[in-house]
């Protein structure tokens, strides 16, 4: 789960990291008031769940409070389209107004849980302020890593080592290491899956400040962080993704026209791959989960039907635990009177298969049954040719 | 022959008294698995189906029932503790079905296990089954499996069932099927499972089912190139149509960089000599043809 920049910075600050002075604004007047309080040049930053804001005009410099108000007027209520969003962009409901700092150097600081090392890894680079993915691709030697021992945690000496290996003066190494330790403490305390400070800046007056901040919290750890779970900003999601997410269904909107309903993540991806390999295009990833009770399936099917891009639907459920008649009941439940008609290809396997198929037959809906994934894809192609 | 589980497996079920634990224990017993004990704190003294004794502690189940393997159906908040308890009690094979364990908990668990003589399969996995040994330590549907000489190693649950279903229909039986789990941090990775299949005289070839995210498939490719696995390998990597930056259900299935792409993994496995299965719809057919 992503946190907004202002939420991340509040956490960092609580753990002793230096962040720019500033305040959050939901209206242009509030933005002006924050700028007046800061009494100097400031930056107005759109608070959205997407990177690439600067190039998209989501981060704007203001010399005077009136200018901050103008920027806030332009940003608030707009949709920001960045390299990381779709063409529809993400809505800006709040801006962060912060003091502009005089920057001497820009560094990168990141923490991840590394699958290869099976541990937490702290990363630092002197190539801060740029696209770190590009640095990793073109100059991997510029990204330095320290693997953390999970028992003792990240140690100050590792921070000093990173600082010195980045070519920073020894005089700065201790204070930089302290900032790294603070970030590591946030990471552990808040069950993060990713922490990135890009850039972490050294100001002309020698302070080390987190100019930007991005914390992602491990979704699987939210059960012990109710306060953080409550921060999720559903306005930042595609509306259908938001509905699925609130119902606990794993759903990702894609740009094709074959609506897909599957159980199991691997099966869902494989089905999408098979659709794509046949020359058709999946409209979504959707995993209803292993148990697949009728109400969940009905919600999932409802989401597919609500997507105007969906022209046909493939149901591919391999019931191990799930019963086929439950799946059928859930799907049929979504077809309330007045619901648009849509051709479906249904491939079901598992317990109570015949009962499930009988329910579909009795429904009067346009359903083609398939015995295998191969048959299902062929049936979809025939449907698509006929449509 | 098989890997990880066999007729000598004496299984303990941690979380036997829960809904999932009861359902799957009944299924495992019906398949022929030797379930010798259950463990649920506070439920010691009960019996499941009048024959499987339940103990309060894993240590007790090991001492009194001779359990040497464990399957875990404990909810995510307590599952790390259940894994550690089993490892500490001397269990040699731990299969953790539980989905949704926090990644930082798994960092600690794996650190603890490194010092122990134990194999962890999962978490967030369907488990292990060996049809020839009539031993199922997992939640997979029993009836799709048939005894044979092809091993299966997979990061997925239902996609593994699909693969096995296709293999069985194509007349290709399985030696052992292992679901290693869909999380970024799991116990045994593809490398460890391939090493076991290499040493198993009952396995002639392996089907590897990977997916986007992480580097497990690349590690497998490196292992093959280094000579660690020499039998024929058939590989399918799911998620070629997945967009970057979005978690596709599994916590580990997210494209975060070039290495995480399906195409990178396919290239690495092909380069290591694996036969790439062209479509999820043709798993059975490809393996059957490849096996001659």
């Amino acid at each position: 789960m992503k946190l907004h920049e202002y939420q991340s910075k509040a956490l960092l600050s609580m753990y002793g990291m230096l962040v720019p002075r500033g305040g959050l604004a939901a209206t242009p007047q509030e933005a002006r008031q924050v700028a007046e309080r800061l009494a100097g040049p400031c930056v107005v930053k759109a608070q959205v769940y997407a990177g690439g804001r600067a190039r998209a005009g989501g981060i704007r410099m203001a010399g005077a409070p009136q200018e901050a108000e103008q920027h806030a007027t332009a940003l608030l209520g707009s949709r920001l389209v960045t390299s990381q969003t779709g063409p529809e962009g993400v809505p800006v409901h709040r801006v962060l107004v912060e003091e502009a700092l005089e920057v001497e150097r820009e560094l990168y600081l990141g923490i991840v849980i590394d699958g290869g090392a099976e541990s937490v890894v702290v990363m630092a680079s002197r190539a801060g302020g740029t696209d770190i993915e590009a640095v990793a691709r073109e100059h991997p030697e510029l990204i330095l890593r320290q693997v953390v021992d999970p028992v003792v945690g990240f140690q100050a000496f590792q921070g000093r080592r990173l600082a010195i290996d980045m070519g920073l003066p020894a005089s700065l190494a201790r204070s930089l290491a302290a900032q790294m330790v603070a970030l590591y403490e946030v990471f552990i305390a808040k069950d993060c899956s990713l922490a990135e400070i890009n850039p972490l800046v050294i100001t002309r007056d020698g302070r080390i400040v987190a100019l930007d901040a991005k914390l992602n919290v491990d979704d699987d750890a939210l059960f012990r962080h109710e306060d953080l779970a409550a921060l999720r900003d559903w306005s930042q999601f595609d509306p259908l993704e938001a509905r699925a997410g609130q119902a606990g269904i794993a759903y990702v909107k894609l740009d094709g026209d074959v609506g897909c309903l599957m159980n199991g993540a691997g099966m869902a991806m494989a089905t999408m791959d098979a659709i794509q390999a046949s020359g058709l295009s999946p409209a979504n990833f959707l995993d209803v989960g292993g148990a697949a009770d009728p109400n969940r399936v009905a919600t999932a099917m409802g989401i597919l039907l609500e997507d105007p891009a969906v022209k046909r639907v493939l149901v591919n459920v391999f019931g191990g635990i799930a019963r086929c008649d439950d799946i059928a009941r859930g799907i049929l439940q979504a077809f309330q009177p007045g619901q648009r008609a849509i051709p479906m290809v249904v491939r079901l396997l598992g317990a109570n298969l015949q009962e499930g198929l009988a329910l579909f037959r009795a429904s009067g809906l346009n359903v083609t049954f398939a015995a295998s994934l191969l048959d299902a894809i062929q049936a979809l192609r025939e449907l698509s040719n006929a449509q | 022959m098989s890997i990880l589980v066999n007729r000598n497996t004496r299984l303990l079920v941690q979380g036997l008294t829960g809904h999932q634990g009861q359902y799957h224990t009944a299924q495992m017993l019906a398949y022929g698995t030797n379930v010798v004990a259950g463990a649920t704190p506070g439920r010691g003294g009960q019996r499941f189906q009048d024959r499987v004794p339940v103990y309060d502690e894993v240590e007790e189940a090991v001492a009194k029932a001779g359990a040497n393997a464990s399957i875990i159906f404990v909810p995510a908040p307590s599952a790390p503790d259940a894994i550690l308890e089993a490892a500490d009690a001397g269990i040699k094979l731990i299969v953790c079905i539980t989905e949704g364990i926090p990644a930082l908990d798994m960092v600690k668990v794996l650190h603890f296990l490194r010092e122990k003589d134990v194999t962890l399969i999962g978490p967030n996995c369907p488990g292990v089954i060996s049809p020839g040994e009539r031993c199922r330590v997992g939640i997979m549907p029993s009836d799709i499996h048939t005894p044979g000489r092809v091993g299966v190693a997979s990061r997925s649950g239902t996609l593994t069932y699909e693969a096995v279903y296709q293999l069985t229909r194509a007349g290709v039986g399985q030696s052992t099927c292992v679901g290693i789990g869909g999380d970024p941090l799991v116990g045994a990775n593809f490398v460890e499972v391939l090493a076991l299949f290499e040493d198993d005289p009952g396995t002639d070839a392996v089907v590897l089912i990977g997916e986007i995210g992480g580097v497990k498939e690349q590690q497998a490719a490196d292992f093959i190139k280094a000579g660690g696995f020499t039998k024929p390998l058939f590989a399918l990597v799911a998620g070629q149509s997945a967009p970057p930056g979005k978690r596709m259900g599994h916590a580990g299935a997210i494209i975060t960089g070039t290495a995480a792409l399906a195409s990178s993994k396919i290239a690495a496995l092909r380069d290591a000599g694996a036969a790439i299965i062209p479509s999820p719809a043709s798993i059975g057919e490809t393996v059957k043809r490849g096996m001659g």
Side-chain angles (χ1 to χ4, degrees):
Chain A
M1 183 191 102
K2 292 175 179 174
L3 294 180
H4 279 301
E5 177 191 7
Y6 75 92
Q7 297 164 336
S8 302
K9 281 180 168 169
L11 289 173
L12 296 182
S13 180
M14 226 184 285
Y15 281 77
M17 279 193 94
L18 222 49
V19 299
R21 292 185 304 130
L24 192 67
T27 66
Q29 293 70 28
E30 286 173 11
R32 185 195 179 103
Q33 285 160 6
V34 175
E36 279 167 354
R37 217 166 45 234
L38 292 172
C42 60
V43 191
V44 180
K45 308 177 83 177
Q47 297 299 290
V48 292
Y49 278 2
R53 288 175 300 169
R55 254 168 291 169
I59 298 178
R60 304 181 183 198
M61 296 294 300
Q66 197 190 347
E67 212 181 330
E69 184 176 350
Q70 284 163 3
H71 288 326
T73 305
L75 286 170
L76 289 166
S78 75
R79 294 186 76 91
L80 193 67
V81 180
T82 84
S83 57
Q84 295 181 17
T85 70
E88 69 289 347
V90 280
V92 183
H93 296 306
R94 293 180 203 83
V95 293
L96 181 61
V97 183
E98 287 184 331
E99 61 175 334
L101 296 172
E102 297 196 40
V103 172
E104 182 82 35
R105 294 186 74 147
E106 295 189 318
L107 307 171
Y108 167 88
L109 185 58
I111 305 183
V112 294
I113 300 172
D114 186 284
E118 294 182 341
S119 195
V120 175
V121 170
V122 176
M123 301 180 295
S125 176
R126 59 185 168 87
T130 54
D131 174 9
I132 202 70
E133 278 283 329
V135 176
R137 248 186 338 264
E138 287 147 35
H139 293 287
E141 75 283 359
L142 289 183
I143 299 178
L144 308 171
R145 296 158 47 94
Q146 286 286 304
V147 177
V148 180
D149 181 305
V151 177
V152 296
F154 182 75
Q155 297 297 302
F157 79 85
Q158 294 181 292
R160 295 196 300 273
R161 181 181 292 161
L162 286 169
I164 287 166
D165 290 351
M166 278 192 286
L168 296 176
S171 57
L172 268 175
R174 274 178 67 178
S175 42
L176 189 58
Q179 297 289 302
M180 292 181 190
V181 169
L183 184 63
Y184 175 79
E185 280 169 2
V186 177
F187 190 92
I188 298 298
K190 301 302 171 189
D191 269 299
C192 293
S193 54
L194 173 76
E196 272 191 323
I197 311 297
N198 191 19
L200 178 71
V201 301
I202 300 168
T203 61
R204 287 237 171 99
D205 54 3
R207 289 177 300 150
I208 301 169
V209 185
L211 212 56
D212 194 5
K214 175 174 161 186
L215 296 182
N216 291 358
V217 181
D218 181 358
D219 289 294
D220 288 338
L222 287 175
F223 68 82
R224 58 190 176 205
H225 298 284
E226 280 176 33
D227 52 335
L228 296 178
L231 295 180
R232 196 188 301 261
D233 181 356
W234 289 110
S235 78
Q236 299 293 307
F237 291 81
D238 169 278
L240 292 176
E241 288 185 5
R243 249 190 63 195
Q246 280 157 323
I249 295 167
Y251 169 88
V252 178
K253 176 91 184 75
L254 303 170
D255 48 18
D257 61 9
V258 182
C260 316
L261 189 152
M262 290 78 72
N263 68 334
M267 183 66 146
M269 279 189 278
T271 306
M272 284 160 46
D273 292 349
I275 291 170
Q276 187 160 291
S278 77
L280 299 171
S281 188
N284 60 276
F285 166 95
L286 194 158
D287 170 11
V288 284
D293 80 280
N295 289 327
R296 260 168 81 86
V297 175
T299 306
M301 191 67 204
I303 287 166
L304 295 190
L305 291 173
E306 221 175 283
D307 179 356
V310 169
K311 301 277 189 290
R312 52 201 81 94
V313 167
L314 171 61
V315 174
N316 186 24
V317 173
F318 202 116
I321 316 166
R323 282 174 21 188
C324 295
D325 53 338
D326 280 347
I327 306 275
R329 259 181 223 108
I331 288 171
L332 296 175
Q333 195 182 314
F335 284 92
Q336 296 297 325
Q339 183 57 256
R340 68 180 171 130
I342 197 156
M344 286 192 287
V345 175
V346 171
R347 189 263 179 137
L348 289 174
L349 261 184
N352 297 11
L353 175 61
Q354 291 313 321
E355 290 88 333
L357 296 185
L359 285 170
F360 276 115
R361 274 193 206 99
S363 72
L365 294 172
N366 179 356
V367 182
T368 310
F369 300 109
S372 69
L373 182 53
L374 196 64
D375 291 350
I377 299 295
Q378 266 161 11
L380 263 185
R381 294 196 56 174
E382 280 159 28
L383 259 186
S384 140
N385 291 338
Q387 270 183 314
Chain B
M1 291 296 287
S2 63
I3 65 168
L4 296 166
V5 300
N6 55 43
R7 286 175 204 280
N8 299 321
T9 298
R10 296 178 61 81
L11 187 65
L12 162 73
V13 181
Q14 287 175 264
L16 167 57
T17 52
H19 176 73
Q20 234 205 337
Q22 294 190 31
Y23 177 80
H24 288 293
T25 302
Q27 298 277 315
M28 290 188 289
L29 284 165
Y31 190 68
T33 310
N34 186 15
V35 180
V36 299
T40 304
R43 298 291 184 94
Q46 297 185 357
R47 267 179 194 273
F48 178 73
Q49 288 187 353
D50 291 329
R51 56 172 169 162
V52 181
V54 178
Y55 300 97
D56 287 315
E57 291 188 290
V58 175
E59 202 173 27
E60 204 184 349
V62 171
K64 294 189 177 155
N68 57 15
S70 167
I71 185 166
I72 294 176
F73 292 106
V74 172
S78 334
D81 180 58
I83 299 173
L84 297 181
E85 185 186 3
D88 188 69
I91 294 281
K92 296 295 177 228
L93 173 71
I94 303 169
V95 175
C96 185
I97 305 298
T98 310
E99 179 178 359
I101 298 179
L104 282 173
D105 289 1
M106 280 312 297
V107 168
K108 286 187 204 153
V109 166
L110 295 181
H111 184 83
F112 183 85
L113 296 189
R114 228 163 273 158
E115 310 298 317
K116 305 256 185 252
D117 173 26
V118 59
T119 301
L120 170 68
I121 301 294
N124 190 11
C125 79
V128 185
I129 186 168
S130 177
E133 301 282 318
R134 293 305 287 183
C135 189
R136 163 181 153 177
V137 181
I139 60 171
M140 60 288 282
S142 302
D143 55 1
I144 56 173
H145 298 83
T146 194
R149 302 187 58 82
V150 169
V152 177
S154 170
R155 281 171 68 191
S156 168
T158 43
L159 180 56
T160 314
Y161 312 160
E162 171 73 36
V164 169
Y165 175 76
Q166 290 186 28
L167 288 174
T168 294
R169 280 176 54 116
V172 179
Q174 306 91 42
S175 56
T176 306
C177 305
V178 186
I180 65 169
D183 283 357
L185 296 182
V186 294
N189 289 294
F190 283 133
V191 168
E192 287 84 0
V193 176
L194 287 179
L196 293 171
F197 277 131
E198 176 75 5
D199 291 340
D200 176 29
T203 299
D204 294 338
V206 171
V207 178
L208 181 151
I209 298 169
E211 62 190 36
I212 53 166
V215 292
K216 292 176 174 53
E217 294 78 9
Q218 282 91 340
Q219 289 169 335
D222 290 344
F223 182 67
I224 295 167
K225 278 193 184 171
F229 183 80
T230 59
K231 298 176 181 178
L233 186 80
F234 301 89
L236 175 74
V237 180
Q240 299 195 57
S241 53
K246 300 265 192 174
R247 170 175 163 172
M248 307 300 274
H250 285 157
I254 180 166
I255 298 173
T256 48
T258 319
L261 289 168
S263 56
S264 303
K265 294 165 183 297
I266 290 170
L269 288 163
R270 179 180 284 131
D271 189 45
I276 303 301
I277 299 169
S279 154
S282 61
I283 301 168
E285 182 201 332
T286 308
V287 176
K288 188 184 182 177
R289 226 184 311 117
M291 298 293 289

